[in-house]
Amino acid sequence: MASKYVQVYTDLKNMIESEALKTGQALPAEGELMELYQVSRDTIRKALGILENQGYIQKSRGKVATVAGKKEYVFPFEKLASFKELNAHLNRQTRTDVENLEILSDAGRIKELFGDHAESEVYDLLRVRVIDEGRVIMDHDFFKRSIVPNLPLRACRDSVYEYLEKEQGLRIGYATKEIFVCDATEQDRKYLDMGRYDLVVVVKSYTYTFDGILFQYTESRHRPDHFNFVGVAQR
């Protein structure tokens, strides 16, 4: 079972993301939260500290915490979410530009991506995420056609996961992720508004169905000022 402060943090975070608590709204005072959750003041302060560090709330001395307006791209390691879902509660303009969608049948390349000799074709999808008119994230996705036989352009522009789950009935399970920083490539500079930046944050993801079958490989490349990794670690 999660520690009490993690439970409080998770509950308040979910309320903020669902807009049950809206931007600028005051959270209950520490004493009220202690009574509500039946925990100590130290537990409440730990939970509020995580929320503040992650930009969900802002606190000032002698005043209650209020919900902050989130601006940065927050990348959560503890859950699997689409770009559309991550941006649903943020007050900003976003758009997805599809730069390439084709079927890849290069056996060597497919084995390199998935380590799979049996797979003969995969979808090769390249998208650029535009936030407030800035091209700041490039997602390069590969989907096994044995699991994803059809991938319409409309879904690529909106939400592939929503299409797969709601229209195709695919049960998406989990993903393994790796994050690192590297020099920007010519492709990064072609598709992203790099400005003064010469580094990108790269997130490599292998995504599995609910039954544990690998069906997607993604390399997501982020301009560094639009990436903020958050997570909760506990002993």
Short mmCIF file of all heavy atoms in Angstrom, two decimals, residues 2-51:
data_model
loop_
_atom_site.label_atom_id
_atom_site.label_comp_id
_atom_site.label_asym_id
_atom_site.label_seq_id
_atom_site.Cartn_x
_atom_site.Cartn_y
_atom_site.Cartn_z
N ALA A 2 0.48 2.27 -0.76
CA ALA A 2 1.26 3.50 -0.85
C ALA A 2 1.26 4.23 0.48
O ALA A 2 0.34 4.12 1.28
CB ALA A 2 0.68 4.41 -1.93
N SER A 3 2.34 4.98 0.73
CA SER A 3 2.42 5.79 1.93
C SER A 3 1.28 6.80 1.96
O SER A 3 0.73 7.17 0.92
CB SER A 3 3.76 6.52 1.97
OG SER A 3 4.83 5.60 2.02
N LYS A 4 0.95 7.27 3.15
CA LYS A 4 -0.18 8.17 3.30
C LYS A 4 0.01 9.47 2.52
O LYS A 4 -0.92 9.98 1.91
CB LYS A 4 -0.43 8.45 4.77
CG LYS A 4 -0.98 7.25 5.55
CD LYS A 4 -1.23 7.60 7.01
CE LYS A 4 -1.79 6.39 7.76
NZ LYS A 4 -2.03 6.70 9.20
N TYR A 5 1.25 10.01 2.53
CA TYR A 5 1.46 11.27 1.82
C TYR A 5 1.32 11.08 0.31
O TYR A 5 0.88 11.99 -0.41
CB TYR A 5 2.80 11.89 2.19
CG TYR A 5 4.02 11.23 1.58
CD1 TYR A 5 4.50 11.62 0.33
CD2 TYR A 5 4.71 10.23 2.26
CE1 TYR A 5 5.62 11.03 -0.22
CE2 TYR A 5 5.83 9.63 1.72
CZ TYR A 5 6.29 10.04 0.47
OH TYR A 5 7.39 9.45 -0.07
N VAL A 6 1.66 9.87 -0.20
CA VAL A 6 1.48 9.59 -1.63
C VAL A 6 0.00 9.52 -1.96
O VAL A 6 -0.45 10.00 -3.01
CB VAL A 6 2.20 8.28 -2.01
CG1 VAL A 6 1.92 7.93 -3.47
CG2 VAL A 6 3.69 8.40 -1.79
N GLN A 7 -0.79 8.94 -1.07
CA GLN A 7 -2.23 8.87 -1.29
C GLN A 7 -2.86 10.26 -1.33
O GLN A 7 -3.70 10.55 -2.18
CB GLN A 7 -2.87 8.02 -0.18
CG GLN A 7 -2.45 6.57 -0.19
CD GLN A 7 -3.00 5.79 1.00
OE1 GLN A 7 -3.90 6.24 1.69
NE2 GLN A 7 -2.44 4.63 1.26
N VAL A 8 -2.43 11.13 -0.40
CA VAL A 8 -2.94 12.51 -0.37
C VAL A 8 -2.52 13.25 -1.63
O VAL A 8 -3.32 13.93 -2.29
CB VAL A 8 -2.45 13.25 0.89
CG1 VAL A 8 -2.91 14.72 0.85
CG2 VAL A 8 -2.97 12.57 2.15
N TYR A 9 -1.24 13.12 -1.98
CA TYR A 9 -0.71 13.77 -3.20
C TYR A 9 -1.49 13.32 -4.43
O TYR A 9 -1.93 14.15 -5.25
CB TYR A 9 0.78 13.42 -3.35
CG TYR A 9 1.26 13.42 -4.77
CD1 TYR A 9 1.57 14.61 -5.43
CD2 TYR A 9 1.40 12.22 -5.47
CE1 TYR A 9 1.99 14.60 -6.75
CE2 TYR A 9 1.83 12.20 -6.78
CZ TYR A 9 2.13 13.39 -7.42
OH TYR A 9 2.54 13.38 -8.73
N THR A 10 -1.69 12.02 -4.58
CA THR A 10 -2.37 11.48 -5.75
C THR A 10 -3.81 11.97 -5.83
O THR A 10 -4.30 12.34 -6.91
CB THR A 10 -2.34 9.94 -5.73
OG1 THR A 10 -0.98 9.50 -5.69
CG2 THR A 10 -3.02 9.36 -6.95
N ASP A 11 -4.48 12.00 -4.70
CA ASP A 11 -5.88 12.45 -4.67
C ASP A 11 -5.98 13.92 -5.08
O ASP A 11 -6.81 14.28 -5.93
CB ASP A 11 -6.45 12.25 -3.26
CG ASP A 11 -7.96 12.46 -3.21
OD1 ASP A 11 -8.63 12.18 -4.21
OD2 ASP A 11 -8.47 12.90 -2.17
N LEU A 12 -5.13 14.77 -4.51
CA LEU A 12 -5.18 16.20 -4.84
C LEU A 12 -4.77 16.44 -6.29
O LEU A 12 -5.35 17.27 -6.99
CB LEU A 12 -4.28 16.99 -3.88
CG LEU A 12 -4.75 17.03 -2.42
CD1 LEU A 12 -3.69 17.71 -1.56
CD2 LEU A 12 -6.09 17.74 -2.29
N LYS A 13 -3.75 15.69 -6.77
CA LYS A 13 -3.32 15.85 -8.16
C LYS A 13 -4.44 15.49 -9.12
O LYS A 13 -4.68 16.20 -10.11
CB LYS A 13 -2.10 14.96 -8.43
CG LYS A 13 -1.58 15.03 -9.87
CD LYS A 13 -0.31 14.24 -10.04
CE LYS A 13 -0.54 12.75 -10.03
NZ LYS A 13 -1.14 12.26 -11.29
N ASN A 14 -5.15 14.40 -8.83
CA ASN A 14 -6.26 13.99 -9.69
C ASN A 14 -7.38 15.03 -9.69
O ASN A 14 -8.01 15.28 -10.73
CB ASN A 14 -6.82 12.64 -9.23
CG ASN A 14 -5.87 11.50 -9.52
OD1 ASN A 14 -4.98 11.61 -10.37
ND2 ASN A 14 -6.04 10.38 -8.83
N MET A 15 -7.61 15.66 -8.55
CA MET A 15 -8.64 16.70 -8.46
C MET A 15 -8.25 17.92 -9.29
O MET A 15 -9.09 18.55 -9.94
CB MET A 15 -8.87 17.10 -7.01
CG MET A 15 -9.52 16.01 -6.16
SD MET A 15 -9.61 16.44 -4.40
CE MET A 15 -10.83 17.78 -4.48
N ILE A 16 -6.95 18.24 -9.31
CA ILE A 16 -6.48 19.38 -10.10
C ILE A 16 -6.56 19.06 -11.59
O ILE A 16 -7.02 19.87 -12.40
CB ILE A 16 -5.03 19.75 -9.69
CG1 ILE A 16 -5.01 20.30 -8.27
CG2 ILE A 16 -4.44 20.77 -10.66
CD1 ILE A 16 -3.62 20.46 -7.69
N GLU A 17 -6.12 17.86 -11.98
CA GLU A 17 -6.11 17.49 -13.40
C GLU A 17 -7.52 17.33 -13.96
O GLU A 17 -7.75 17.57 -15.14
CB GLU A 17 -5.31 16.21 -13.60
CG GLU A 17 -3.81 16.41 -13.35
CD GLU A 17 -3.00 15.19 -13.72
OE1 GLU A 17 -3.57 14.09 -13.78
OE2 GLU A 17 -1.78 15.35 -13.93
N SER A 18 -8.47 16.94 -13.12
CA SER A 18 -9.85 16.80 -13.57
C SER A 18 -10.62 18.11 -13.46
O SER A 18 -11.79 18.18 -13.83
CB SER A 18 -10.57 15.72 -12.74
OG SER A 18 -10.71 16.15 -11.39
N GLU A 19 -9.93 19.15 -12.94
CA GLU A 19 -10.50 20.48 -12.73
C GLU A 19 -11.61 20.50 -11.69
O GLU A 19 -12.43 21.41 -11.67
CB GLU A 19 -10.98 21.10 -14.05
CG GLU A 19 -9.85 21.34 -15.04
CD GLU A 19 -10.29 22.16 -16.24
OE1 GLU A 19 -11.51 22.23 -16.52
OE2 GLU A 19 -9.41 22.73 -16.90
N ALA A 20 -11.62 19.51 -10.81
CA ALA A 20 -12.47 19.62 -9.62
C ALA A 20 -11.94 20.76 -8.75
O ALA A 20 -12.70 21.42 -8.05
CB ALA A 20 -12.47 18.30 -8.85
N LEU A 21 -10.62 20.95 -8.79
CA LEU A 21 -9.97 22.13 -8.23
C LEU A 21 -9.42 22.92 -9.41
O LEU A 21 -8.60 22.40 -10.17
CB LEU A 21 -8.83 21.73 -7.28
CG LEU A 21 -9.23 21.11 -5.94
CD1 LEU A 21 -8.00 20.56 -5.22
CD2 LEU A 21 -9.93 22.15 -5.07
N LYS A 22 -9.84 24.14 -9.59
CA LYS A 22 -9.51 24.91 -10.79
C LYS A 22 -8.35 25.88 -10.51
O LYS A 22 -8.04 26.20 -9.36
CB LYS A 22 -10.73 25.68 -11.28
CG LYS A 22 -11.90 24.77 -11.65
CD LYS A 22 -13.06 25.58 -12.21
CE LYS A 22 -14.24 24.66 -12.54
NZ LYS A 22 -13.88 23.65 -13.56
N THR A 23 -7.73 26.35 -11.59
CA THR A 23 -6.63 27.29 -11.49
C THR A 23 -7.03 28.51 -10.66
O THR A 23 -8.08 29.11 -10.89
CB THR A 23 -6.18 27.75 -12.89
OG1 THR A 23 -5.74 26.61 -13.63
CG2 THR A 23 -5.06 28.78 -12.81
N GLY A 24 -6.19 28.84 -9.68
CA GLY A 24 -6.46 29.98 -8.81
C GLY A 24 -7.27 29.65 -7.58
O GLY A 24 -7.35 30.45 -6.65
N GLN A 25 -7.88 28.47 -7.55
CA GLN A 25 -8.71 28.08 -6.41
C GLN A 25 -7.82 27.68 -5.23
O GLN A 25 -6.80 27.02 -5.39
CB GLN A 25 -9.63 26.93 -6.79
CG GLN A 25 -10.59 26.49 -5.69
CD GLN A 25 -11.55 25.43 -6.16
OE1 GLN A 25 -11.73 25.21 -7.37
NE2 GLN A 25 -12.18 24.73 -5.22
N ALA A 26 -8.24 28.07 -4.03
CA ALA A 26 -7.48 27.73 -2.83
C ALA A 26 -7.76 26.30 -2.41
O ALA A 26 -8.91 25.84 -2.44
CB ALA A 26 -7.84 28.69 -1.70
N LEU A 27 -6.71 25.60 -2.00
CA LEU A 27 -6.88 24.29 -1.40
C LEU A 27 -7.35 24.45 0.04
O LEU A 27 -7.15 25.51 0.64
CB LEU A 27 -5.56 23.52 -1.42
CG LEU A 27 -5.24 22.68 -2.67
CD1 LEU A 27 -5.04 23.58 -3.88
CD2 LEU A 27 -4.00 21.83 -2.43
N PRO A 28 -7.95 23.44 0.61
CA PRO A 28 -8.30 23.51 2.04
C PRO A 28 -7.04 23.76 2.87
O PRO A 28 -5.94 23.37 2.49
CB PRO A 28 -8.90 22.13 2.33
CG PRO A 28 -9.39 21.64 1.00
CD PRO A 28 -8.42 22.17 -0.01
N ALA A 29 -7.20 24.40 4.02
CA ALA A 29 -6.07 24.65 4.91
C ALA A 29 -5.48 23.33 5.41
O ALA A 29 -6.14 22.28 5.36
CB ALA A 29 -6.53 25.50 6.09
N GLU A 30 -4.23 23.37 5.87
CA GLU A 30 -3.56 22.15 6.33
C GLU A 30 -4.39 21.42 7.38
O GLU A 30 -4.50 20.20 7.37
CB GLU A 30 -2.18 22.49 6.87
CG GLU A 30 -1.18 22.88 5.79
CD GLU A 30 0.20 23.15 6.36
OE1 GLU A 30 0.36 23.02 7.60
OE2 GLU A 30 1.11 23.49 5.58
N GLY A 31 -4.96 22.19 8.33
CA GLY A 31 -5.77 21.57 9.38
C GLY A 31 -6.97 20.83 8.83
O GLY A 31 -7.32 19.73 9.31
N GLU A 32 -7.61 21.42 7.81
CA GLU A 32 -8.76 20.76 7.20
C GLU A 32 -8.35 19.48 6.48
O GLU A 32 -9.05 18.46 6.54
CB GLU A 32 -9.45 21.71 6.22
CG GLU A 32 -10.07 22.94 6.86
CD GLU A 32 -10.67 23.85 5.81
OE1 GLU A 32 -11.58 23.40 5.10
OE2 GLU A 32 -10.23 25.01 5.69
N LEU A 33 -7.20 19.54 5.80
CA LEU A 33 -6.72 18.35 5.09
C LEU A 33 -6.32 17.25 6.08
O LEU A 33 -6.55 16.06 5.82
CB LEU A 33 -5.52 18.73 4.20
CG LEU A 33 -5.84 19.61 2.99
CD1 LEU A 33 -4.55 20.07 2.32
CD2 LEU A 33 -6.72 18.87 1.99
N MET A 34 -5.74 17.64 7.21
CA MET A 34 -5.38 16.67 8.25
C MET A 34 -6.63 15.93 8.73
O MET A 34 -6.63 14.71 8.88
CB MET A 34 -4.70 17.37 9.42
CG MET A 34 -3.31 17.90 9.11
SD MET A 34 -2.72 19.05 10.41
CE MET A 34 -2.81 17.99 11.86
N GLU A 35 -7.70 16.69 8.95
CA GLU A 35 -8.94 16.08 9.42
C GLU A 35 -9.59 15.23 8.34
O GLU A 35 -10.10 14.14 8.60
CB GLU A 35 -9.90 17.17 9.89
CG GLU A 35 -11.19 16.63 10.48
CD GLU A 35 -12.09 17.73 11.03
OE1 GLU A 35 -11.63 18.89 11.11
OE2 GLU A 35 -13.24 17.42 11.36
N LEU A 36 -9.56 15.74 7.11
CA LEU A 36 -10.19 15.03 6.01
C LEU A 36 -9.52 13.67 5.77
O LEU A 36 -10.20 12.66 5.56
CB LEU A 36 -10.11 15.88 4.73
CG LEU A 36 -10.63 15.25 3.44
CD1 LEU A 36 -12.13 14.96 3.56
CD2 LEU A 36 -10.36 16.18 2.25
N TYR A 37 -8.18 13.65 5.75
CA TYR A 37 -7.45 12.42 5.44
C TYR A 37 -7.01 11.64 6.67
O TYR A 37 -6.43 10.57 6.54
CB TYR A 37 -6.23 12.76 4.57
CG TYR A 37 -6.60 13.20 3.18
CD1 TYR A 37 -6.59 14.55 2.84
CD2 TYR A 37 -6.97 12.28 2.20
CE1 TYR A 37 -6.93 14.98 1.56
CE2 TYR A 37 -7.32 12.68 0.92
CZ TYR A 37 -7.30 14.03 0.61
OH TYR A 37 -7.64 14.45 -0.65
N GLN A 38 -7.24 12.22 7.87
CA GLN A 38 -6.86 11.56 9.12
C GLN A 38 -5.36 11.24 9.15
O GLN A 38 -4.94 10.11 9.40
CB GLN A 38 -7.69 10.29 9.32
CG GLN A 38 -9.17 10.55 9.56
CD GLN A 38 -9.42 11.31 10.88
OE1 GLN A 38 -9.17 10.78 11.95
NE2 GLN A 38 -9.90 12.54 10.77
N VAL A 39 -4.57 12.27 8.86
CA VAL A 39 -3.12 12.13 8.84
C VAL A 39 -2.48 13.29 9.59
O VAL A 39 -3.14 14.26 9.96
CB VAL A 39 -2.57 12.09 7.38
CG1 VAL A 39 -3.08 10.85 6.65
CG2 VAL A 39 -2.96 13.35 6.62
N SER A 40 -1.17 13.23 9.77
CA SER A 40 -0.44 14.26 10.50
C SER A 40 -0.16 15.48 9.63
O SER A 40 -0.27 15.42 8.39
CB SER A 40 0.88 13.70 11.01
OG SER A 40 1.74 13.42 9.92
N ARG A 41 0.24 16.56 10.26
CA ARG A 41 0.60 17.78 9.52
C ARG A 41 1.81 17.52 8.63
O ARG A 41 1.91 18.03 7.51
CB ARG A 41 0.89 18.93 10.48
CG ARG A 41 1.10 20.28 9.78
CD ARG A 41 1.29 21.41 10.78
NE ARG A 41 0.14 21.54 11.66
CZ ARG A 41 -0.95 22.25 11.33
NH1 ARG A 41 -1.01 22.87 10.15
NH2 ARG A 41 -1.97 22.33 12.17
N ASP A 42 2.77 16.73 9.11
CA ASP A 42 3.95 16.41 8.32
C ASP A 42 3.57 15.68 7.03
O ASP A 42 4.14 15.94 5.97
CB ASP A 42 4.92 15.56 9.15
CG ASP A 42 6.21 15.27 8.40
OD1 ASP A 42 6.89 16.22 8.00
OD2 ASP A 42 6.52 14.08 8.20
N THR A 43 2.60 14.78 7.11
CA THR A 43 2.14 14.05 5.93
C THR A 43 1.54 15.00 4.91
O THR A 43 1.82 14.90 3.70
CB THR A 43 1.09 12.99 6.34
OG1 THR A 43 1.73 12.01 7.16
CG2 THR A 43 0.50 12.30 5.11
N ILE A 44 0.70 15.93 5.37
CA ILE A 44 0.08 16.92 4.46
C ILE A 44 1.15 17.77 3.82
O ILE A 44 1.11 18.04 2.61
CB ILE A 44 -0.93 17.79 5.23
CG1 ILE A 44 -2.12 16.94 5.72
CG2 ILE A 44 -1.41 18.95 4.36
CD1 ILE A 44 -2.91 16.28 4.62
N ARG A 45 2.13 18.20 4.60
CA ARG A 45 3.18 19.08 4.05
C ARG A 45 4.04 18.35 3.03
O ARG A 45 4.50 18.95 2.06
CB ARG A 45 4.02 19.65 5.19
CG ARG A 45 3.26 20.71 5.98
CD ARG A 45 4.06 21.31 7.11
NE ARG A 45 3.33 22.41 7.73
CZ ARG A 45 3.74 23.07 8.81
NH1 ARG A 45 4.87 22.73 9.41
NH2 ARG A 45 3.01 24.06 9.31
N LYS A 46 4.29 17.05 3.23
CA LYS A 46 5.02 16.28 2.23
C LYS A 46 4.25 16.23 0.92
O LYS A 46 4.81 16.43 -0.17
CB LYS A 46 5.27 14.86 2.74
CG LYS A 46 6.40 14.71 3.73
CD LYS A 46 6.60 13.24 4.08
CE LYS A 46 7.74 13.06 5.06
NZ LYS A 46 7.94 11.63 5.40
N ALA A 47 2.95 15.96 1.02
CA ALA A 47 2.11 15.87 -0.19
C ALA A 47 2.07 17.22 -0.92
O ALA A 47 2.21 17.29 -2.15
CB ALA A 47 0.71 15.42 0.18
N LEU A 48 1.88 18.29 -0.16
CA LEU A 48 1.82 19.63 -0.77
C LEU A 48 3.18 20.02 -1.36
O LEU A 48 3.24 20.69 -2.39
CB LEU A 48 1.38 20.66 0.27
CG LEU A 48 -0.04 20.51 0.82
CD1 LEU A 48 -0.34 21.60 1.84
CD2 LEU A 48 -1.08 20.54 -0.31
N GLY A 49 4.25 19.57 -0.72
CA GLY A 49 5.58 19.87 -1.24
C GLY A 49 5.82 19.26 -2.61
O GLY A 49 6.40 19.89 -3.50
N ILE A 50 5.36 18.02 -2.80
CA ILE A 50 5.50 17.38 -4.11
C ILE A 50 4.67 18.12 -5.16
O ILE A 50 5.14 18.38 -6.27
CB ILE A 50 5.05 15.90 -4.04
CG1 ILE A 50 5.94 15.11 -3.08
CG2 ILE A 50 5.11 15.25 -5.43
CD1 ILE A 50 5.45 13.69 -2.82
N LEU A 51 3.45 18.48 -4.80
CA LEU A 51 2.58 19.21 -5.73
C LEU A 51 3.20 20.54 -6.11
O LEU A 51 3.14 20.97 -7.28
CB LEU A 51 1.20 19.42 -5.11
CG LEU A 51 0.32 18.17 -4.95
CD1 LEU A 51 -0.88 18.48 -4.08
CD2 LEU A 51 -0.12 17.65 -6.31
#
